[in-house]
Amino acid sequence: MFKQTITTILVAGMIGCASSPSTETEVTEGVSLVEVVEQQDDKLVIPYKKYVLDNGLTVILHEDNSDPLVHVDVTYHVGSGREDIGKSGFAHFFEHMMFQGSENVADEQHFKIISEAGGTLNGTTNSDRTNYFETAPSNQLEKMLWLESDRMGFLLDAVTQKKFEVQRETVKNERGQRVDNRPYGRLGERVAQALYPEGHPYSWPVIGYMEDLNRANVNDVKKFFLRWYGPNNATLTIGGDIDEEQTLEWVKKYFGSIPRGPEVKDPKPATVELDEDRYISLEDNVSLPLLYMAYPTVSRLHADEAPLDVLASIIGQGKTSILYKNLVKNGVAVQSSVSHGCKELACEFVLYALPNPMSGKGLADLEATIRDSFAEFEKRGVKADDIERVKASIKSQLIYGLQSVSGKVSQLAANQTFEGDPNLIQKELERYENVTEADVMRVYEKYVKDQHAVIMSVVPKGMKAMVAHEDTWTPSERHIPEYEEVTEADLDIRVAKDDFDRSVMPEAGDNPTIKVPEIWRSELSNGIDVLGAINEETPTTAISLRIKTGSANDPLNKIGLASITASMLNEATENYSNEELSNILQKLGSSVSISAGEQYTQLTIQSLTENLDRTLQIANEKLRAPKFDPADFKRIKEQTIEGIKSAAKQPSVVASNVYQKLLFGTDNAFAHPTSGSIETVSNITLEDVKNFYNTYYTPAISSIVAVSDLEKDVLSTKLKRFSSWEGGEVEQAEIKPFPELQKAIYFVDKPGAAQSEIRIGKRALPYDATGEYYRVNLMNYNLGGAFNSRININLREDKGYTYGARSGFRGSEDYGYFIASAGVRTDATDKSIIEFLNEMKAYHNSGMTEAELEFMRNSLGQRDARDYETPRQKLGFLGQIMAYNLDEDYVDEQSDILQSIELEELNALAQKHLTLDDMIIVVVGDKASVMPGLEKLGYDIIEVDAEGNKL
């Protein structure tokens, strides 16, 4: 048995003991109270009240008054797993359609209304559920409920053939961007096709097959909606700064009249078994081959799920794992991992690895090593340390997930949807608490040892010989039932009847008081400035130690040096091995990582406060006593080079890299990718790393920002651990003159690319919190800064050219730029550029309207309520103040500017900064397909390679 148990965590506002009425209690006509979970005893739960409306809608209310926010989530128990054969993608398609307006909400207004209210919103679909959610200031709650209820009960009359066709194109663009144009993007759907029998709900991709959507008509999707989107198949979860009585009254008003849908039964898990190993393969636009092995196991919350999670950790998660030792540490693979992903009906025990070309090993060798590692695990067995490590990780993840109201609401909603019980957090802890060494060995022998798997090889195009094994399984042709057209007469329309005028949008309540974090300052004895804030909502601490050095200080022939130096500090130290450090941190439930960007290197620390002292000891060890082991350096250098090769296969990365280099010139290191190029990384030696560390890692250019439930004096005392760190000032790299921009289209050929990546822009202003830089971003908001901006509405919603288009100004301390960007359909590349230019030209000439000015003021003026909720957000706020030496009340000055700035000033800024003649255009796409259209645009076309060099 394991030796150590999970410590019980006492979290104010989250401790509770469920006490349920013995029978449902009607609290008002049409609404029954089902369950109450209150703050009591020592159980880790989220307090809530659970109600059911007469129409079957489950309502969960969670009160959290720590921030003036409300999060609303509507989860429907329908995902791709409930689609019919030949009609895949409908659930995901409705995720799009539900944002297109309803009977009382005009087209494109859902995003506009929530954005104008200072909120944010989205929707997601997976195999088992679809959810829609908004976070907004608490005075907007009634409006949010009105919106959600209107699309639940009053959607179908607004679903037109035109909207259907536009969103069908948008889904195709999303597939192009996320699947077809992404390396390894089709891996998941190919594995699912082989792992699950034909017709199994998980055998097709969530996004669907495009031929199925092409075959469908608007009535097909209406029928799908009527089957699954009734209130009796939904959970409405509301959390945050709410008045429960008033909230329940609004819920009854807006949702109570919506008729029930057809009855829905929970799906039943079906055991998936393979009679032999199924080897499959895919040639893809990748730089490295990949081996992927998937074993079918159990289903979500099955008794064996927890021990299988522990098994996955032991075999392949982190630097303590067997696969890390056998594949990554010795340089055989650049990456490997194991996971046990669970869905409602089935789980998969997955292993993957990418070989290191320097090792001379291929996919067949990786498979052999993985199988040998299984045998090693059998001999090694399960240790108490293994189980303690996983349990601590689970515990910390659950607590970190409670730092935002959205995290808590999402947890409640998911638990209710799949288990009918929102109160599962403590049970989750107990599931892992009760796992034994024998349990882990038992599930290994039952689900992995001598069991069959789907084994997939993804190899570069034209390199079929690199597969681990020749294919032994091929998919049969899809058996699609004969299509039967759905007509209006086939639709069983449900009509809600209200006693109020639903077409009138509710007014917002009084604006809530925004709680900007109260800041404290101190200084360590070695001169490090400390900026802190208290966050008492969870017993956690987040710290960022920032060193003012990054890739901007790299020598031009050794770009990537700052990044590799930071990576080396994540490896062994003088006193601990990689494995020991990883083991300690996992058992603490902490993370300590070092990373380098353009201007800063950051040491980021996240810890449960009860374990902060030990976590800070490890952080200090990593920062001040790196071992700089030659073996670690060799491995990191090889991994970096392979990462660069992989990035060069991603059109979006190539487009951004080329754009940056064209703007700021090859003579400035910050204009290059922080990872460097194959050539520059090849030049880097271990001695270079040591010299960079000794030169730039110094307290003289460092600062600390921290957010914790600890008081200033207590945390300041703990941070004194860094006081003995010594070092003097260093010179920063000189910024070289920027190149003269030649108005042209710079084109990178990506043969066969499923989409084209577009970047349009120019150099612009450096960052200024309250100056012209702040003002130009106000100006840009309606052009390309919001979802319902002119650019996105045009290219995505009106034309269906893209999954998303945007524009904005970006700035650092010394330089900045303007950029408009999108990934677009290949056949719409030239048309998309025309629309981008037309929108910017019109904005330059005429500026924004009075209505747009009002929208921008409302939207940006209220969204501050969302800016300081979580420790991570507070840390970002403090970091901004520290990095740019801002006054603590700079946000008040920004608010004054926002409310007082006039239309004339904003439009003058548009005329000044949106000058098309100063802008360059970068396009990455398939030359054969797009070049004829580009040549008609009247621009010079300059072909460049993936690093921006002229061909």
Side-chain angles (χ1 to χ4, degrees), residues 394-447:
I394 295 293
K395 168 183 126 179
S396 62
Q397 288 171 19
L398 286 171
I399 293 175
Y400 294 142
L402 303 179
Q403 292 179 330
S404 68
V405 66
S406 62
K408 290 183 283 186
V409 165
S410 298
Q411 185 79 263
L412 292 169
N415 291 341
Q416 171 61 35
T417 298
F418 298 122
E419 297 301 316
D421 180 7
N423 187 26
L424 287 184
I425 294 182
Q426 182 66 30
K427 295 175 185 176
E428 280 288 280
L429 284 175
E430 291 169 356
R431 277 207 305 156
Y432 291 90
E433 176 81 15
N434 294 328
V435 172
T436 66
E437 292 97 322
D439 289 331
V440 179
M441 291 304 300
R442 176 180 56 78
V443 297
Y444 164 74
E445 292 173 354
K446 182 174 182 179
Y447 301 105

Side-chain angles (χ1 to χ4, degrees), residues 308-380:
L308 279 162
D309 289 346
V310 177
L311 175 67
S313 175
I314 296 169
I315 293 180
Q317 292 177 5
K319 295 177 180 178
T320 57
S321 69
I322 297 173
L323 285 192
Y324 180 83
K325 174 178 69 70
N326 293 344
L327 286 175
V328 179
K329 186 175 178 65
N330 58 14
V332 171
V334 296
Q335 188 178 343
S336 73
S337 187
V338 179
S339 63
H340 183 236
C342 274
K343 293 182 282 191
E344 186 173 19
L345 305 181
C347 305
E348 301 167 17
F349 192 87
V350 169
L351 309 93
Y352 77 85
L354 293 89
N356 182 354
M358 305 288 186
S359 70
K361 303 293 186 181
L363 297 186
D365 299 308
L366 296 190
E367 182 186 355
T369 300
I370 289 172
R371 294 189 184 279
D372 288 344
S373 297
F374 289 158
E376 179 182 340
F377 167 73
E378 289 187 56
K379 294 179 181 177
R380 171 192 182 276

Side-chain angles (χ1 to χ4, degrees), residues 277-582:
D277 286 334
R278 292 183 174 181
Y279 286 90
I280 58 175
S281 62
L282 171 69
E283 294 183 56
D284 197 3
N285 187 25
V286 297
S287 63
L288 275 182
L290 179 147
L291 180 74
Y292 190 96
M293 302 174 67
Y295 292 83
T297 59
V298 291
S299 59
R300 187 180 188 270
L301 290 185
H302 186 282
D304 288 344
E305 180 189 3
L308 279 162
D309 289 346
V310 177
L311 175 67
S313 175
I314 296 169
I315 293 180
Q317 292 177 5
K319 295 177 180 178
T320 57
S321 69
I322 297 173
L323 285 192
Y324 180 83
K325 174 178 69 70
N326 293 344
L327 286 175
V328 179
K329 186 175 178 65
N330 58 14
V332 171
V334 296
Q335 188 178 343
S336 73
S337 187
V338 179
S339 63
H340 183 236
C342 274
K343 293 182 282 191
E344 186 173 19
L345 305 181
C347 305
E348 301 167 17
F349 192 87
V350 169
L351 309 93
Y352 77 85
L354 293 89
N356 182 354
M358 305 288 186
S359 70
K361 303 293 186 181
L363 297 186
D365 299 308
L366 296 190
E367 182 186 355
T369 300
I370 289 172
R371 294 189 184 279
D372 288 344
S373 297
F374 289 158
E376 179 182 340
F377 167 73
E378 289 187 56
K379 294 179 181 177
R380 171 192 182 276
V382 182
K383 301 177 181 177
D385 212 43
D386 298 326
I387 295 181
E388 180 186 347
R389 188 169 57 244
V390 176
K391 291 175 179 178
S393 177
I394 295 293
K395 168 183 126 179
S396 62
Q397 288 171 19
L398 286 171
I399 293 175
Y400 294 142
L402 303 179
Q403 292 179 330
S404 68
V405 66
S406 62
K408 290 183 283 186
V409 165
S410 298
Q411 185 79 263
L412 292 169
N415 291 341
Q416 171 61 35
T417 298
F418 298 122
E419 297 301 316
D421 180 7
N423 187 26
L424 287 184
I425 294 182
Q426 182 66 30
K427 295 175 185 176
E428 280 288 280
L429 284 175
E430 291 169 356
R431 277 207 305 156
Y432 291 90
E433 176 81 15
N434 294 328
V435 172
T436 66
E437 292 97 322
D439 289 331
V440 179
M441 291 304 300
R442 176 180 56 78
V443 297
Y444 164 74
E445 292 173 354
K446 182 174 182 179
Y447 301 105
V448 179
K449 181 181 179 181
D450 299 328
Q451 298 302 309
H452 299 300
V454 172
I455 305 162
M456 183 170 189
S457 301
V458 182
V459 299
K461 289 184 177 179
M463 307 293 285
K464 184 74 172 178
M466 297 179 72
V467 300
H469 190 287
E470 65 180 16
D471 289 8
T472 61
W473 184 88
T474 55
S476 59
E477 288 189 21
R478 297 177 66 210
H479 295 94
I480 308 299
E482 184 175 346
Y483 178 70
E484 296 182 7
E485 184 173 352
V486 178
T487 68
E488 288 277 356
D490 298 320
L491 302 178
D492 185 14
I493 302 294
R494 302 186 295 270
V495 180
K497 295 180 180 180
D498 292 309
D499 57 4
F500 67 97
D501 186 355
R502 191 178 282 270
S503 67
V504 178
M505 182 173 67
E507 295 289 333
D510 294 336
N511 285 342
T513 301
I514 308 301
K515 301 176 182 179
V516 177
E518 191 171 318
I519 296 170
W520 56 262
R521 294 177 182 269
S522 67
E523 182 180 322
L524 302 185
S525 59
N526 57 355
I528 296 179
D529 290 324
V530 180
L531 200 59
I534 295 176
N535 183 80
E536 297 179 327
E537 295 172 44
T538 54
T540 60
T541 298
I543 298 169
S544 174
L545 187 152
R546 293 156 55 103
I547 308 169
K548 191 170 173 45
T549 189
S551 64
N553 287 323
D554 285 346
L556 288 175
N557 66 335
K558 297 185 179 184
I559 294 172
L561 178 56
S563 180
I564 287 181
T565 302
S567 294
M568 286 296 292
L569 268 69
N570 289 313
E571 300 296 325
T573 67
E574 292 177 356
N575 299 304
Y576 296 94
S577 69
N578 274 327
E579 295 80 359
E580 289 170 331
L581 289 168
S582 179

